[in-house]
Amino acid sequence: MAPILQVRDLVKTYHVGEHTVRALRGANMDVQAGEFVAITGPSGSGKSTLMHIMGCLDRPTSGQYILDGNDVSRMSKDQLAVIRNRKIGFVFQGFNLLSRTTALDNVELPLLYNGSLKLKTADRHRRAKEALASVGLGERSDHFPNQLSGGQQQRVAIARALVTQPAILLADEPTGNLDTRTSIEVMGIFQKLNKERGITILLITHEMDIAEYGTRFVRFRDGKIQTDSPVHNRRDATRELAALPPPEEDPPGVASDPAPVEHLGGVV
C-alpha cells in the first residue's frame, strides 16, 4: 500500500533581508496510514517548517510532497486550502479558540469554512456535539473558553480538528501549555484516536517523554532528518493515568491548569 504522506528531497529556503535561511535541506520520509509519528528537534531544526508544508500551509522551494496520492508541491493557495480542509486537522499549543464563542461554536467553525460539505445547521451542530463527546466534553458544549481549564480548551481544539473527519491530524506542541496530568490525558486522546479510528498523527514536540507516546520517532537537525526509528518502549497514557493519584479538587469556580485564550490563527 502506498504511503499516505511522501516527502522527497524537500527543500525550503527563506530570504530574510540580505540573509538566506535554509530551513529544510533535502528531507525524505514516508508515512503510512495509521502511523503515529513524533517529530522532534531543537529550535530551528526544520521540524515546524516540515509541519507547515505537510499541512498544506506552505509550499516547498524544491522537492516533492505527495499527500494521499496527490502531488501538492506546486498547487495554488486555493487548491491547498481545499486539500487542507478535506484531509487534515490541526491542533496547536495555543488552542486558538475564539474567546466569545462557546465550545460548540468553536468546534463547528471548520464546517462553516468548508463550503464543499454544504451541511445544514442541525447537521453541523450534531457533528460538533459528537466531536466534543469523543474528547469527553459532551456536557461542556455551552461553556466559553474562559470557563474551561487549559486541558479542556485543548480538548475543544482537538474536537475542532476532528469535526471534518480528517484522515490526518497534525499536532504542534499540543502539550506545551499543560501540566503533567493534563498532558497525559491529551496524549491518551491522541493514542485512542490513532488506535480506534486509524487516524494518522504527526506530532511536533520538544519533549522526549511526549514523543514516546507515538509509534515512530523522527529527529530533525539543521534541516535534515537525523534519526528515524520505531519507538521501542512506547508509553501507554491510559495505564499511566490509572496509576496516578486522584487529582486535587479545585475551589468552586476555579479551573485547574488555567491557560490564556487566543484567537483563531487563520488556519481553516
Side-chain angles (χ1 to χ4, degrees), residues 1-2 27 43 46 55 64 71 121 125 131 156 159-161 192 213 217 250:
M1 183 179 296
S43 296
Q64 190 176 38
D71 187 347
T121 301
H125 285 340
V156 173
R160 183 183 59 199
K192 182 178 180 180
Y213 289 105
F217 169 74
D250 292 306

Side-chain angles (χ1 to χ4, degrees), residues 10 12-13 33 49 85 99 129 164 166 170 174 182 193 220 241 263:
L10 215 60
K12 182 63 180 181
T13 301
T49 299
N85 286 334
S99 59
K129 287 179 178 178
T164 57
L170 302 184
T182 311
L193 292 170
F220 266 78
L241 283 173
H263 291 278

Side-chain angles (χ1 to χ4, degrees), residues 31 73 85 179 194 248:
V31 177
S73 309
N85 286 334
D179 62 28
N194 177 247
E248 296 181 5

Side-chain angles (χ1 to χ4, degrees), residues 112-165:
L112 292 171
Y113 286 119
N114 195 335
S116 64
L117 293 176
K118 298 180 180 179
L119 295 175
K120 296 180 179 179
T121 301
D123 292 327
R124 291 199 306 268
H125 285 340
R126 175 184 54 79
R127 283 178 59 166
K129 287 179 178 178
E130 289 174 351
L132 281 168
S134 73
V135 298
L137 287 181
E139 302 300 319
R140 302 270 182 149
S141 62
D142 60 344
H143 285 54
F144 291 88
N146 64 2
Q147 297 173 309
L148 301 171
S149 70
Q152 289 168 339
Q153 290 181 51
Q154 190 60 291
R155 288 176 184 235
V156 173
I158 294 172
R160 183 183 59 199
L162 294 173
V163 75
T164 57
Q165 300 174 349

Side-chain angles (χ1 to χ4, degrees), residues 4-24:
I4 192 170
L5 301 172
Q6 294 175 280
V7 167
R8 294 289 178 269
D9 300 319
L10 215 60
V11 172
K12 182 63 180 181
T13 301
Y14 296 100
H15 297 283
V16 183
E18 297 180 355
H19 301 283
T20 299
V21 178
R22 298 183 66 191
L24 290 176

Side-chain angles (χ1 to χ4, degrees), residues 59 75-85:
R59 289 173 289 190
M75 285 187 176
S76 67
K77 290 183 178 180
D78 288 344
Q79 290 173 320
L80 288 175
V82 170
I83 294 288
R84 190 166 66 235
N85 286 334

